[in-house]
Amino acid sequence: MVSAPTLHVVSTELAVGSFAMAGIAFLLAGLGSHGWLGMKRHLQLADHVAHFALAFGLLALPFAIITGIQSSPGEGLDHPLLINKMLLGSSAFGLAIGVLLARRAHGPEIWTRHLGRRWQALGGMAAVGMVLLTASLGGTYARGESLLSWLPFSFDTVPLMPLWFSTALLIIALVNIGLVRRQPSP
């Protein structure tokens, strides 16, 4: 029988790998939509990769969460790092859903709209960044090491997300919701 920590490693690698691929594709799509680096001709490919990888990462994320809870040595959310992981993971999940809904409502033409291309790329990369930060917190919790220990804030207290960061996330989410409600341009 496979243990919960082994399943957690596999599901986490699937989720983090998918989100990392989505982040690179969102960056390339954002650059391509502005015509930078000659990426305009690859915009459709970057769009499909970004959204497919984001959707696959969203499917893998619940498995990573469930196996992470099962393999945790404590009694649920008894450590500030785990609470921070929950807050960041939930925020990333919400942003990713908003990005996918906006893309579904407008199709690939979202990259031709002035407001759509910026917020689509920003929302996708923000969701990816929060998942990668969440994964780094898992390394801090399990092994006491992280790739992000050079950042100027501490992970040992619960209010990791300051008010300005929460406000920025709310604005990105509201703009993506607004993009869903707007009719696609002909």
Side-chain angles (χ1 to χ4, degrees):
M1 180 106 179
V2 180
S3 66
T6 302
L7 285 176
H8 181 62
V9 168
V10 171
S11 60
T12 300
E13 292 300 327
L14 279 174
V16 170
S18 297
F19 274 98
M21 176 64 74
I24 292 169
F26 274 112
L27 177 64
L28 293 176
L31 292 174
S33 69
H34 287 90
W36 294 352
L37 303 175
M39 291 291 302
K40 194 95 168 158
R41 63 188 177 141
H42 300 294
L43 179 59
Q44 185 177 6
L45 175 64
D47 170 60
H48 289 303
V49 170
H51 291 95
F52 180 79
L54 190 66
F56 186 79
L58 282 177
L59 291 175
L61 198 58
F63 295 109
I65 292 169
I66 291 168
T67 57
I69 291 170
Q70 294 299 320
S71 63
S72 177
E75 300 263 339
L77 296 175
D78 59 352
H79 195 278
L81 286 175
L82 297 177
I83 295 170
N84 285 326
K85 283 176 61 94
M86 183 188 69
L87 291 173
L88 285 169
S90 300
S91 298
F93 197 84
L95 272 178
I97 292 287
V99 166
L100 290 174
L101 287 175
R103 167 59 169 79
R104 183 171 185 259
H106 296 285
E109 292 80 27
I110 197 164
W111 295 105
T112 61
R113 302 173 73 192
H114 176 70
L115 194 62
R117 65 180 168 210
R118 291 195 177 139
W119 288 103
Q120 188 73 0
L122 182 63
M125 287 188 298
V128 167
M130 286 190 294
V131 165
L132 296 178
L133 180 59
T134 302
S136 181
L137 288 177
T140 303
Y141 179 72
R143 295 177 307 280
E145 60 186 12
S146 170
L147 291 174
L148 302 176
S149 58
W150 55 271
L151 290 175
F153 48 83
S154 171
F155 298 118
D156 295 330
T157 58
V158 173
L160 174 67
M161 293 181 10
L163 182 61
W164 67 266
F165 190 66
S166 298
T167 304
L169 289 178
L170 181 64
I171 290 169
I172 292 170
L174 289 175
V175 169
N176 274 314
I177 289 170
L179 288 173
V180 170
R181 292 183 173 261
R182 295 175 85 187
Q183 294 295 331
S185 57

